[in-house]
Amino acid sequence: AVIKPQDSGDNWSPESFQSGKPVVSARPVVDDTFAGALCATFKDEDALNAYQTDPIHLDFNENIVAKYKIKVQVFDIES
């Protein structure tokens, strides 16, 4: 699924979100042990940095991720 968030006006909002579930695989190089994944695309590194310190993002981390002990793995990449 692809979600296009509305611009917050601060120009930090992710350009897109993609989410999905793992593909079960017998291949040993495939990690299919997670329940779901989210990929957020940002305009640039400044937008990513602003998103990481935004109160809404921090609130989500504190009240959802930490509260429900959700394991998070982050991979920052450039393309």
Side-chain angles (χ1 to χ4, degrees), residues 2-79:
V2 177
I3 303 167
K4 289 281 189 178
Q6 293 182 359
D7 191 333
S8 68
D10 295 329
N11 202 26
W12 63 260
S13 185
E15 293 180 338
S16 69
F17 281 113
Q18 295 179 331
S19 63
K21 61 183 183 176
V23 174
V24 177
S25 176
R27 295 173 48 217
V29 297
V30 175
D31 178 359
D32 58 7
T33 61
F34 59 96
L38 172 68
C39 179
T41 304
F42 295 87
K43 177 182 173 186
D44 53 30
E45 191 172 351
D46 289 338
L48 170 62
N49 292 335
Y51 172 76
Q52 291 179 43
T53 59
D54 185 87
I56 295 171
H57 178 74
L58 296 175
D59 182 67
F60 177 81
N61 286 337
E62 181 179 326
N63 292 302
I64 302 297
V65 174
K67 181 177 180 179
Y68 295 102
K69 297 178 175 38
I70 298 170
K71 179 183 175 185
V72 174
Q73 288 184 272
V74 176
F75 301 92
D76 291 340
I77 64 168
E78 288 185 87
S79 61

